[in-house]
PDB file of all heavy atoms in Angstrom:
ATOM      1  N   ALA A  19      11.893  27.448 -32.234  1.00  0.00           N
ATOM      2  CA  ALA A  19      10.773  27.762 -33.118  1.00  0.00           C
ATOM      3  C   ALA A  19      10.549  29.266 -33.211  1.00  0.00           C
ATOM      4  O   ALA A  19      10.351  29.815 -34.307  1.00  0.00           O
ATOM      5  CB  ALA A  19       9.513  27.061 -32.617  1.00  0.00           C
ATOM      6  N   ALA A  20      10.593  29.947 -32.065  1.00  0.00           N
ATOM      7  CA  ALA A  20      10.369  31.389 -32.057  1.00  0.00           C
ATOM      8  C   ALA A  20      11.444  32.128 -32.846  1.00  0.00           C
ATOM      9  O   ALA A  20      11.158  33.101 -33.554  1.00  0.00           O
ATOM     10  CB  ALA A  20      10.331  31.894 -30.622  1.00  0.00           C
ATOM     11  N   ALA A  21      12.690  31.663 -32.737  1.00  0.00           N
ATOM     12  CA  ALA A  21      13.790  32.323 -33.442  1.00  0.00           C
ATOM     13  C   ALA A  21      13.639  32.221 -34.949  1.00  0.00           C
ATOM     14  O   ALA A  21      14.202  33.033 -35.696  1.00  0.00           O
ATOM     15  CB  ALA A  21      15.125  31.721 -33.003  1.00  0.00           C
ATOM     16  N   HIS A  22      12.884  31.218 -35.404  1.00  0.00           N
ATOM     17  CA  HIS A  22      12.725  31.022 -36.845  1.00  0.00           C
ATOM     18  C   HIS A  22      11.300  31.319 -37.309  1.00  0.00           C
ATOM     19  O   HIS A  22      10.930  30.992 -38.445  1.00  0.00           O
ATOM     20  CB  HIS A  22      13.130  29.588 -37.216  1.00  0.00           C
ATOM     21  CG  HIS A  22      14.596  29.338 -37.034  1.00  0.00           C
ATOM     22  ND1 HIS A  22      15.144  28.993 -35.813  1.00  0.00           N
ATOM     23  CD2 HIS A  22      15.641  29.432 -37.901  1.00  0.00           C
ATOM     24  CE1 HIS A  22      16.455  28.867 -35.939  1.00  0.00           C
ATOM     25  NE2 HIS A  22      16.780  29.130 -37.197  1.00  0.00           N
ATOM     26  N   HIS A  23      10.510  31.897 -36.413  1.00  0.00           N
ATOM     27  CA  HIS A  23       9.157  32.372 -36.744  1.00  0.00           C
ATOM     28  C   HIS A  23       8.274  31.238 -37.279  1.00  0.00           C
ATOM     29  O   HIS A  23       7.543  31.403 -38.260  1.00  0.00           O
ATOM     30  CB  HIS A  23       9.228  33.515 -37.763  1.00  0.00           C
ATOM     31  CG  HIS A  23      10.176  34.600 -37.370  1.00  0.00           C
ATOM     32  ND1 HIS A  23       9.935  35.453 -36.311  1.00  0.00           N
ATOM     33  CD2 HIS A  23      11.400  34.951 -37.870  1.00  0.00           C
ATOM     34  CE1 HIS A  23      10.956  36.290 -36.192  1.00  0.00           C
ATOM     35  NE2 HIS A  23      11.856  36.005 -37.117  1.00  0.00           N
ATOM     36  N   ILE A  24       8.385  30.080 -36.623  1.00  0.00           N
ATOM     37  CA  ILE A  24       7.533  28.941 -36.972  1.00  0.00           C
ATOM     38  C   ILE A  24       6.915  28.391 -35.693  1.00  0.00           C
ATOM     39  O   ILE A  24       7.374  28.689 -34.581  1.00  0.00           O
ATOM     40  CB  ILE A  24       8.324  27.821 -37.687  1.00  0.00           C
ATOM     41  CG1 ILE A  24       9.454  27.302 -36.796  1.00  0.00           C
ATOM     42  CG2 ILE A  24       8.853  28.307 -39.033  1.00  0.00           C
ATOM     43  CD1 ILE A  24      10.223  26.129 -37.396  1.00  0.00           C
ATOM     44  N   SER A  25       5.881  27.586 -35.843  1.00  0.00           N
ATOM     45  CA  SER A  25       5.251  26.980 -34.667  1.00  0.00           C
ATOM     46  C   SER A  25       6.066  25.781 -34.193  1.00  0.00           C
ATOM     47  O   SER A  25       6.845  25.190 -34.954  1.00  0.00           O
ATOM     48  CB  SER A  25       3.829  26.517 -35.013  1.00  0.00           C
ATOM     49  OG  SER A  25       3.874  25.440 -35.937  1.00  0.00           O
ATOM     50  N   ARG A  26       5.886  25.414 -32.924  1.00  0.00           N
ATOM     51  CA  ARG A  26       6.581  24.246 -32.409  1.00  0.00           C
ATOM     52  C   ARG A  26       6.147  22.978 -33.151  1.00  0.00           C
ATOM     53  O   ARG A  26       6.966  22.086 -33.399  1.00  0.00           O
ATOM     54  CB  ARG A  26       6.337  24.088 -30.908  1.00  0.00           C
ATOM     55  CG  ARG A  26       7.291  24.935 -30.060  1.00  0.00           C
ATOM     56  CD  ARG A  26       7.062  24.728 -28.593  1.00  0.00           C
ATOM     57  NE  ARG A  26       5.804  25.340 -28.162  1.00  0.00           N
ATOM     58  CZ  ARG A  26       5.305  25.239 -26.937  1.00  0.00           C
ATOM     59  NH1 ARG A  26       5.941  24.546 -26.019  1.00  0.00           N
ATOM     60  NH2 ARG A  26       4.174  25.838 -26.627  1.00  0.00           N
ATOM     61  N   SER A  27       4.891  22.895 -33.508  1.00  0.00           N
ATOM     62  CA  SER A  27       4.420  21.701 -34.201  1.00  0.00           C
ATOM     63  C   SER A  27       5.104  21.560 -35.569  1.00  0.00           C
ATOM     64  O   SER A  27       5.453  20.447 -35.983  1.00  0.00           O
ATOM     65  CB  SER A  27       2.899  21.738 -34.368  1.00  0.00           C
ATOM     66  OG  SER A  27       2.500  22.878 -35.113  1.00  0.00           O
ATOM     67  N   TYR A  28       5.316  22.696 -36.257  1.00  0.00           N
ATOM     68  CA  TYR A  28       6.009  22.633 -37.546  1.00  0.00           C
ATOM     69  C   TYR A  28       7.471  22.255 -37.339  1.00  0.00           C
ATOM     70  O   TYR A  28       8.046  21.473 -38.110  1.00  0.00           O
ATOM     71  CB  TYR A  28       5.893  23.968 -38.274  1.00  0.00           C
ATOM     72  CG  TYR A  28       6.508  23.960 -39.654  1.00  0.00           C
ATOM     73  CD1 TYR A  28       6.170  22.981 -40.584  1.00  0.00           C
ATOM     74  CD2 TYR A  28       7.427  24.936 -40.042  1.00  0.00           C
ATOM     75  CE1 TYR A  28       6.736  22.968 -41.852  1.00  0.00           C
ATOM     76  CE2 TYR A  28       7.993  24.930 -41.308  1.00  0.00           C
ATOM     77  CZ  TYR A  28       7.641  23.945 -42.204  1.00  0.00           C
ATOM     78  OH  TYR A  28       8.196  23.930 -43.451  1.00  0.00           O
ATOM     79  N   LEU A  29       8.088  22.784 -36.277  1.00  0.00           N
ATOM     80  CA  LEU A  29       9.468  22.415 -35.946  1.00  0.00           C
ATOM     81  C   LEU A  29       9.562  20.910 -35.707  1.00  0.00           C
ATOM     82  O   LEU A  29      10.485  20.252 -36.203  1.00  0.00           O
ATOM     83  CB  LEU A  29       9.926  23.178 -34.700  1.00  0.00           C
ATOM     84  CG  LEU A  29      11.312  22.808 -34.150  1.00  0.00           C
ATOM     85  CD1 LEU A  29      12.411  23.220 -35.131  1.00  0.00           C
ATOM     86  CD2 LEU A  29      11.539  23.463 -32.787  1.00  0.00           C
ATOM     87  N   TYR A  30       8.622  20.363 -34.945  1.00  0.00           N
ATOM     88  CA  TYR A  30       8.631  18.925 -34.673  1.00  0.00           C
ATOM     89  C   TYR A  30       8.515  18.127 -35.974  1.00  0.00           C
ATOM     90  O   TYR A  30       9.195  17.113 -36.155  1.00  0.00           O
ATOM     91  CB  TYR A  30       7.485  18.546 -33.737  1.00  0.00           C
ATOM     92  CG  TYR A  30       7.579  19.160 -32.354  1.00  0.00           C
ATOM     93  CD1 TYR A  30       6.432  19.468 -31.635  1.00  0.00           C
ATOM     94  CD2 TYR A  30       8.818  19.426 -31.778  1.00  0.00           C
ATOM     95  CE1 TYR A  30       6.504  20.032 -30.372  1.00  0.00           C
ATOM     96  CE2 TYR A  30       8.897  20.001 -30.512  1.00  0.00           C
ATOM     97  CZ  TYR A  30       7.742  20.305 -29.812  1.00  0.00           C
ATOM     98  OH  TYR A  30       7.828  20.860 -28.563  1.00  0.00           O
ATOM     99  N   ARG A  31       7.682  18.586 -36.894  1.00  0.00           N
ATOM    100  CA  ARG A  31       7.503  17.861 -38.156  1.00  0.00           C
ATOM    101  C   ARG A  31       8.786  17.882 -38.992  1.00  0.00           C
ATOM    102  O   ARG A  31       9.120  16.889 -39.652  1.00  0.00           O
ATOM    103  CB  ARG A  31       6.350  18.460 -38.964  1.00  0.00           C
ATOM    104  CG  ARG A  31       4.977  18.170 -38.375  1.00  0.00           C
ATOM    105  CD  ARG A  31       3.869  18.373 -39.410  1.00  0.00           C
ATOM    106  NE  ARG A  31       3.817  19.737 -39.919  1.00  0.00           N
ATOM    107  CZ  ARG A  31       3.142  20.721 -39.361  1.00  0.00           C
ATOM    108  NH1 ARG A  31       2.467  20.519 -38.220  1.00  0.00           N
ATOM    109  NH2 ARG A  31       3.120  21.933 -39.900  1.00  0.00           N
ATOM    110  N   LEU A  32       9.509  19.006 -38.973  1.00  0.00           N
ATOM    111  CA  LEU A  32      10.766  19.091 -39.720  1.00  0.00           C
ATOM    112  C   LEU A  32      11.759  18.045 -39.237  1.00  0.00           C
ATOM    113  O   LEU A  32      12.433  17.382 -40.044  1.00  0.00           O
ATOM    114  CB  LEU A  32      11.381  20.490 -39.577  1.00  0.00           C
ATOM    115  CG  LEU A  32      10.690  21.642 -40.307  1.00  0.00           C
ATOM    116  CD1 LEU A  32      11.339  22.963 -39.930  1.00  0.00           C
ATOM    117  CD2 LEU A  32      10.727  21.445 -41.823  1.00  0.00           C
ATOM    118  N   PHE A  33      11.864  17.877 -37.931  1.00  0.00           N
ATOM    119  CA  PHE A  33      12.825  16.917 -37.387  1.00  0.00           C
ATOM    120  C   PHE A  33      12.299  15.484 -37.477  1.00  0.00           C
ATOM    121  O   PHE A  33      13.090  14.546 -37.621  1.00  0.00           O
ATOM    122  CB  PHE A  33      13.201  17.289 -35.954  1.00  0.00           C
ATOM    123  CG  PHE A  33      14.278  18.333 -35.887  1.00  0.00           C
ATOM    124  CD1 PHE A  33      13.981  19.671 -36.105  1.00  0.00           C
ATOM    125  CD2 PHE A  33      15.593  17.994 -35.650  1.00  0.00           C
ATOM    126  CE1 PHE A  33      14.973  20.644 -36.081  1.00  0.00           C
ATOM    127  CE2 PHE A  33      16.598  18.947 -35.616  1.00  0.00           C
ATOM    128  CZ  PHE A  33      16.288  20.277 -35.833  1.00  0.00           C
ATOM    129  N   GLN A  34      10.989  15.303 -37.394  1.00  0.00           N
ATOM    130  CA  GLN A  34      10.427  13.969 -37.581  1.00  0.00           C
ATOM    131  C   GLN A  34      10.759  13.438 -38.967  1.00  0.00           C
ATOM    132  O   GLN A  34      10.983  12.233 -39.149  1.00  0.00           O
ATOM    133  CB  GLN A  34       8.911  14.008 -37.375  1.00  0.00           C
ATOM    134  CG  GLN A  34       8.499  14.115 -35.905  1.00  0.00           C
ATOM    135  CD  GLN A  34       7.013  14.396 -35.741  1.00  0.00           C
ATOM    136  OE1 GLN A  34       6.282  14.543 -36.724  1.00  0.00           O
ATOM    137  NE2 GLN A  34       6.566  14.481 -34.491  1.00  0.00           N
ATOM    138  N   ALA A  35      10.807  14.338 -39.951  1.00  0.00           N
ATOM    139  CA  ALA A  35      11.163  13.927 -41.312  1.00  0.00           C
ATOM    140  C   ALA A  35      12.586  13.393 -41.374  1.00  0.00           C
ATOM    141  O   ALA A  35      12.940  12.651 -42.300  1.00  0.00           O
ATOM    142  CB  ALA A  35      11.002  15.104 -42.275  1.00  0.00           C
ATOM    143  N   GLU A  36      13.422  13.757 -40.396  1.00  0.00           N
ATOM    144  CA  GLU A  36      14.798  13.275 -40.342  1.00  0.00           C
ATOM    145  C   GLU A  36      14.950  12.131 -39.349  1.00  0.00           C
ATOM    146  O   GLU A  36      16.065  11.660 -39.081  1.00  0.00           O
ATOM    147  CB  GLU A  36      15.733  14.426 -39.968  1.00  0.00           C
ATOM    148  CG  GLU A  36      15.628  15.601 -40.918  1.00  0.00           C
ATOM    149  CD  GLU A  36      16.958  16.245 -41.193  1.00  0.00           C
ATOM    150  OE1 GLU A  36      17.889  16.066 -40.386  1.00  0.00           O
ATOM    151  OE2 GLU A  36      17.077  16.912 -42.236  1.00  0.00           O
ATOM    152  N   GLY A  37      13.838  11.698 -38.765  1.00  0.00           N
ATOM    153  CA  GLY A  37      13.862  10.546 -37.876  1.00  0.00           C
ATOM    154  C   GLY A  37      14.359  10.820 -36.477  1.00  0.00           C
ATOM    155  O   GLY A  37      14.838   9.899 -35.795  1.00  0.00           O
ATOM    156  N   ILE A  38      14.243  12.058 -36.010  1.00  0.00           N
ATOM    157  CA  ILE A  38      14.720  12.393 -34.673  1.00  0.00           C
ATOM    158  C   ILE A  38      13.868  13.518 -34.102  1.00  0.00           C
ATOM    159  O   ILE A  38      13.357  14.361 -34.844  1.00  0.00           O
ATOM    160  CB  ILE A  38      16.217  12.808 -34.689  1.00  0.00           C
ATOM    161  CG1 ILE A  38      16.760  12.953 -33.266  1.00  0.00           C
ATOM    162  CG2 ILE A  38      16.412  14.092 -35.489  1.00  0.00           C
ATOM    163  CD1 ILE A  38      18.260  13.178 -33.214  1.00  0.00           C
ATOM    164  N   ALA A  39      13.698  13.512 -32.784  1.00  0.00           N
ATOM    165  CA  ALA A  39      12.989  14.603 -32.120  1.00  0.00           C
ATOM    166  C   ALA A  39      13.948  15.769 -31.925  1.00  0.00           C
ATOM    167  O   ALA A  39      15.144  15.574 -31.693  1.00  0.00           O
ATOM    168  CB  ALA A  39      12.445  14.135 -30.775  1.00  0.00           C
ATOM    169  N   VAL A  40      13.444  16.994 -31.997  1.00  0.00           N
ATOM    170  CA  VAL A  40      14.322  18.150 -31.874  1.00  0.00           C
ATOM    171  C   VAL A  40      15.002  18.185 -30.513  1.00  0.00           C
ATOM    172  O   VAL A  40      16.185  18.539 -30.397  1.00  0.00           O
ATOM    173  CB  VAL A  40      13.543  19.463 -32.152  1.00  0.00           C
ATOM    174  CG1 VAL A  40      12.413  19.655 -31.157  1.00  0.00           C
ATOM    175  CG2 VAL A  40      14.484  20.657 -32.147  1.00  0.00           C
ATOM    176  N   SER A  41      14.285  17.804 -29.444  1.00  0.00           N
ATOM    177  CA  SER A  41      14.903  17.784 -28.111  1.00  0.00           C
ATOM    178  C   SER A  41      16.029  16.763 -28.049  1.00  0.00           C
ATOM    179  O   SER A  41      17.072  17.002 -27.408  1.00  0.00           O
ATOM    180  CB  SER A  41      13.851  17.482 -27.043  1.00  0.00           C
ATOM    181  OG  SER A  41      13.197  16.257 -27.314  1.00  0.00           O
ATOM    182  N   SER A  42      15.863  15.626 -28.730  1.00  0.00           N
ATOM    183  CA  SER A  42      16.917  14.611 -28.769  1.00  0.00           C
ATOM    184  C   SER A  42      18.124  15.120 -29.552  1.00  0.00           C
ATOM    185  O   SER A  42      19.275  14.849 -29.184  1.00  0.00           O
ATOM    186  CB  SER A  42      16.397  13.321 -29.399  1.00  0.00           C
ATOM    187  OG  SER A  42      15.348  12.774 -28.636  1.00  0.00           O
ATOM    188  N   TYR A  43      17.875  15.861 -30.634  1.00  0.00           N
ATOM    189  CA  TYR A  43      18.975  16.420 -31.416  1.00  0.00           C
ATOM    190  C   TYR A  43      19.804  17.381 -30.563  1.00  0.00           C
ATOM    191  O   TYR A  43      21.038  17.335 -30.567  1.00  0.00           O
ATOM    192  CB  TYR A  43      18.432  17.141 -32.648  1.00  0.00           C
ATOM    193  CG  TYR A  43      19.505  17.725 -33.532  1.00  0.00           C
ATOM    194  CD1 TYR A  43      20.191  16.946 -34.446  1.00  0.00           C
ATOM    195  CD2 TYR A  43      19.850  19.077 -33.431  1.00  0.00           C
ATOM    196  CE1 TYR A  43      21.187  17.477 -35.246  1.00  0.00           C
ATOM    197  CE2 TYR A  43      20.854  19.614 -34.220  1.00  0.00           C
ATOM    198  CZ  TYR A  43      21.512  18.817 -35.128  1.00  0.00           C
ATOM    199  OH  TYR A  43      22.513  19.353 -35.911  1.00  0.00           O
ATOM    200  N   ILE A  44      19.118  18.244 -29.817  1.00  0.00           N
ATOM    201  CA  ILE A  44      19.824  19.197 -28.951  1.00  0.00           C
ATOM    202  C   ILE A  44      20.639  18.444 -27.900  1.00  0.00           C
ATOM    203  O   ILE A  44      21.816  18.737 -27.674  1.00  0.00           O
ATOM    204  CB  ILE A  44      18.819  20.151 -28.266  1.00  0.00           C
ATOM    205  CG1 ILE A  44      18.160  21.056 -29.316  1.00  0.00           C
ATOM    206  CG2 ILE A  44      19.512  20.992 -27.199  1.00  0.00           C
ATOM    207  CD1 ILE A  44      17.008  21.880 -28.772  1.00  0.00           C
ATOM    208  N   ARG A  45      20.012  17.462 -27.234  1.00  0.00           N
ATOM    209  CA  ARG A  45      20.716  16.702 -26.201  1.00  0.00           C
ATOM    210  C   ARG A  45      21.931  15.980 -26.771  1.00  0.00           C
ATOM    211  O   ARG A  45      23.029  16.017 -26.193  1.00  0.00           O
ATOM    212  CB  ARG A  45      19.756  15.690 -25.571  1.00  0.00           C
ATOM    213  CG  ARG A  45      20.379  14.839 -24.449  1.00  0.00           C
ATOM    214  CD  ARG A  45      19.572  13.590 -24.195  1.00  0.00           C
ATOM    215  NE  ARG A  45      19.559  12.736 -25.380  1.00  0.00           N
ATOM    216  CZ  ARG A  45      18.470  12.140 -25.844  1.00  0.00           C
ATOM    217  NH1 ARG A  45      17.292  12.318 -25.263  1.00  0.00           N
ATOM    218  NH2 ARG A  45      18.551  11.367 -26.921  1.00  0.00           N
ATOM    219  N   ASP A  46      21.766  15.323 -27.919  1.00  0.00           N
ATOM    220  CA  ASP A  46      22.861  14.549 -28.487  1.00  0.00           C
ATOM    221  C   ASP A  46      24.018  15.428 -28.928  1.00  0.00           C
ATOM    222  O   ASP A  46      25.189  15.061 -28.768  1.00  0.00           O
ATOM    223  CB  ASP A  46      22.360  13.719 -29.679  1.00  0.00           C
ATOM    224  CG  ASP A  46      21.426  12.591 -29.253  1.00  0.00           C
ATOM    225  OD1 ASP A  46      21.337  12.328 -28.033  1.00  0.00           O
ATOM    226  OD2 ASP A  46      20.788  11.982 -30.132  1.00  0.00           O
TER     227      ASP A  46
END
């Protein structure tokens, strides 16, 4: 989130729209 100058909550919403949590995307 910091690297893209957005809040963590906005980052979470972006990935929720794709049906996955950002932490799960990184792990997978």
Side-chain angles (χ1 to χ4, degrees):
H22 292 84
H23 309 291
I24 60 176
S25 67
R26 276 182 289 175
S27 60
Y28 184 52
L29 175 67
Y30 296 149
R31 288 199 300 273
L32 288 174
F33 277 78
Q34 285 170 358
E36 303 218 339
I38 188 172
V40 61
S41 57
S42 298
Y43 181 81
I44 293 171
R45 181 199 63 224
D46 291 349

